[in-house]
Amino acid sequence: MANRKLFIKTYGCQMNVYDSERMAEAMGAEGYTLTDRADDADMILLNTCHIREKAAEKVYSELGRMRVLKDERPDLKIGVTGCVAQAEGAEILRRQKAVDLVVGPQSYHRLPEMVRAVENGETALDTDFPEEDKFEHLPKTRAKSAPTAFLTVQEGCDKFCAFCVVPYTRGAEMSRPVERILREARDLVERGAREITLLGQNVNGYHGQGAGGEWGLGRLIRALADIDGLARIRYTTSHPNDMDDDLIAAHAEVDKLMPYLHLPVQSGSDRILKAMNRKHTAEAYLRLIERMRAARPDLLLSSDFIVGFPGESEADFAATLALVEEVGFGMAYSFKYSPRPGTPAYEKPQVDDAEADERLQRLQALLATQQRAAQEAMVGRELDVLFEKPGRLAGQLTGKSGYLHAVHAQAPDLAPGALARVRITGSERNSLSGELIA
Ligand code: SAH
Ligand code: SF4
Ligand code: F3S
């Protein structure tokens, strides 16, 4: 039936953001248009994240609120997608009766069919890891038109870090073929994208089929850089063990590859890194950072950290602080370890909760100092800014520098999508201010 409204709420990582766009496109073919209001929707999809316990619990409290909407409007359909859907499957249907549909990340191409069943009053559940490649069965062209775009090139993970649910929720590593990625990138650029961020749970482990055999991420980036109209390339998230020579060289050689790298290390203690099954030492990470900086001296580095992993002593934590001091991160995300059922670390004796909280605070204080310093070091510099949207004040636009800092400037004659030279004049709490250079 035509003219139905779809509301999607997205949790978790950028891959979920990308997936939500693809689901909206698939549902578009079924006559659904996006709305940004839940109370206005015929169908609500919660695209969920399972990475930490809190993230997963949020889904059930949100479903409780959605249920109230459904009590008022029994025709409303509610679906759960993403990593909680994959991990909990039928349990969601049991725990929250208002849910009509549960679909895991590898089956999104089956969504239209499932929605038809739901419209006929059935419930639908699909948490398969199907043989076919979902990307081949999603709409061929993208609906998206914005200056920045995400493009998933790799999915899943075979690394099995001892704390992490991703290998179970996203399945085995797979890389999309080169030609499909290039086609999607050209399509996005035709629709106005000037910056593309390549996505994957282990994006630098990319090894897709291309001309002449398997391509790594470095080669893919070089091919993307040949697309006219595409000004910037980024990728996330990467694993230290998959940073190969060609990709490091690409940071030196490809101007369109932005000087920002998210390279999670998780801990600075070799004992903990081993227990986490990260398969590298703190020293190996530091040497890799040296090589990255030799290739691109102004590289701004970002990382993820977990504190309070089972067995972490004060000395282990001190090693994490020491690594942070040595690297100097421009950006970082840090989390208290969250035990996830089904992962190897779940059974291990836990660090005292108050102790873990206290360590997290100390780490975050240090990271915040480094982050502020990196942002303030931009003041006085001239940077290219890709403007994405209007700013808070009249005549203002806001966008990102190559280092991924938010920058706003008076630019009454420019429109979103413009790439302009800006002199950075101030550093505020979460953004930089600047002036256009004539
Ligand atoms: N593939 C990426 C990270 C994916 S998950 C990598 O290997 O780095 C994003 C981040 O969530 C991880 O880097 C980790 O810091 C954090 N995380 C994952 N599982 C967690 C858990 N059980 N408790 C706390 N943080 C966790
Ligand atoms: Fe999770 Fe480790 Fe895979 Fe990253 S590399 S997604 S942290 S298992
Ligand atoms: Fe969360 Fe799944 Fe991404 S668990 S972080 S949404 S891969």
Side-chain angles (χ1 to χ4, degrees):
M1 214 187 287
N3 268 334
R4 292 179 184 245
K5 286 187 182 154
L6 171 67
F7 174 76
I8 307 184
K9 182 159 181 175
T10 307
Y11 303 83
C13 62
Q14 288 110 324
M15 315 238 354
N16 264 9
V17 175
Y18 175 83
D19 288 342
S20 290
E21 290 170 4
R22 300 309 307 262
M23 286 192 272
E25 288 158 8
M27 297 280 285
E30 298 295 300
Y32 282 84
T33 51
L34 273 183
T35 168
D36 51 14
R37 283 176 41 200
D39 59 1
D40 183 41
D42 300 291
M43 160 94 48
I44 294 174
L45 295 178
L46 299 186
N47 193 11
T48 62
C49 174
H50 201 241
I51 202 81
R52 283 168 291 274
E53 190 180 0
K54 264 202 198 118
E57 278 309 312
K58 243 196 261 172
V59 175
Y60 285 103
S61 42
E62 185 69 16
L63 284 175
R65 284 190 287 275
M66 298 293 162
R67 186 218 160 111
V68 177
L69 286 179
K70 190 161 175 159
D71 286 342
E72 290 162 12
R73 287 189 295 125
D75 284 345
L76 174 65
K77 303 296 180 194
I78 297 175
V80 179
T81 68
C83 291
V84 175
Q86 188 61 48
E88 306 207 347
E91 177 61 22
I92 301 173
L93 296 171
R94 275 192 290 275
R95 202 167 144 185
Q96 179 48 269
K97 300 281 182 231
V99 174
D100 302 284
L101 174 154
V102 174
V103 56
Q106 300 314 332
S107 300
Y108 292 154
H109 57 298
R110 296 177 175 169
L111 195 55
E113 192 186 312
M114 295 175 75
V115 164
R116 269 172 256 143
V118 163
E119 285 171 347
N120 290 327
E122 298 164 35
T123 55
L125 169 71
D126 190 337
T127 53
D128 290 351
F129 288 105
E131 283 289 311
E132 73 272 14
D133 172 1
K134 71 172 169 199
F135 294 104
E136 292 305 299
H137 301 276
L138 286 166
K140 286 277 178 285
T141 56
R142 301 290 311 275
K144 168 111 184 167
S145 63
T148 62
F150 290 141
L151 202 178
T152 294
V153 302
Q154 180 278 329
E155 260 208 293
C157 181
D158 298 337
K159 292 206 159 48
F160 293 93
C161 298
F163 50 81
C164 184
V165 296
V166 169
Y168 312 98
T169 63
R170 292 277 168 169
E173 265 187 44
M174 68 75 90
S175 294
R176 296 178 65 190
V178 169
E179 268 319 309
R180 302 289 196 282
I181 295 166
L182 294 178
R183 188 177 67 195
E184 191 171 327
R186 284 188 216 105
D187 185 43
L188 285 165
V189 170
E190 272 167 32
R191 284 158 208 278
R194 305 211 63 197
E195 172 180 304
I196 291 180
T197 303
L198 307 174
L199 300 181
Q201 269 92 21
N202 271 298
V203 70
N204 59 340
Y206 176 81
H207 53 93
Q209 283 302 318
E214 267 191 7
W215 289 32
L217 190 67
R219 187 159 177 201
L220 181 66
I221 286 171
R222 290 170 207 270
L224 286 160
D226 287 337
I227 299 177
D228 286 333
L230 181 63
R232 292 176 159 192
I233 302 167
R234 303 179 185 276
Y235 62 92
T236 199
T237 177
S238 34
H239 191 287
N241 290 354
D242 288 332
M243 243 24 242
D244 66 18
D245 293 347
D246 186 48
L247 182 55
I248 297 174
H251 279 272
E253 293 159 12
V254 180
D255 289 340
K256 292 183 181 182
L257 183 57
M258 291 295 103
Y260 179 101
L261 178 64
H262 183 63
L263 193 63
V265 67
Q266 313 297 355
S267 168
S269 155
D270 287 346
R271 222 170 56 81
I272 294 301
L273 286 168
K274 191 160 197 300
M276 286 176 162
N277 193 31
R278 291 292 290 184
K279 297 201 169 83
H280 64 78
T281 60
E283 184 62 22
Y285 183 82
L286 292 170
R287 295 294 78 81
L288 176 60
I289 296 302
E290 265 173 21
R291 291 185 63 205
M292 296 301 313
R293 283 185 166 146
R296 184 78 208 222
D298 64 337
L299 193 66
L300 195 138
L301 283 155
S302 156
S303 178
D304 294 339
F305 295 92
I306 295 178
V307 304
F309 184 80
E312 186 188 72
S313 66
E314 181 58 32
D316 293 316
F317 177 64
T320 298
L321 294 179
L323 178 138
V324 172
E325 293 279 9
E326 185 157 350
V327 174
F329 290 96
M331 180 71 205
Y333 305 88
S334 47
F335 315 95
K336 186 167 73 170
Y337 169 70
S338 171
R340 307 304 289 128
T343 61
Y346 184 65
E347 306 293 338
K348 300 276 159 54
Q350 306 294 309
V351 169
D352 176 70
D353 203 46
E355 183 77 40
D357 279 328
E358 192 265 343
R359 284 181 197 163
L360 183 62
Q361 278 181 26
R362 279 197 279 159
L363 176 62
Q364 289 184 338
L366 174 60
L367 291 168
T369 312
Q370 294 190 344
Q371 207 167 310
R372 220 175 304 120
Q375 200 183 289
E376 277 161 12
M378 298 293 159
V379 177
R381 289 185 58 181
E382 293 181 3
L383 303 176
D384 288 330
V385 174
L386 176 60
F387 288 115
E388 294 172 28
K389 53 183 190 235
R392 266 183 300 127
L393 305 178
Q396 217 178 45
L397 288 178
T398 155
K400 300 273 166 57
S401 76
Y403 306 101
L404 216 53
H405 287 127
V407 181
H408 56 84
Q410 278 296 321
D413 301 330
L414 296 181
L419 188 63
R421 198 88 181 142
V422 173
R423 181 176 302 104
I424 305 300
T425 52
S427 173
E428 291 149 24
R429 202 178 153 70
N430 290 312
S431 62
L432 296 165
S433 51
E435 289 164 2
L436 285 190
I437 297 168

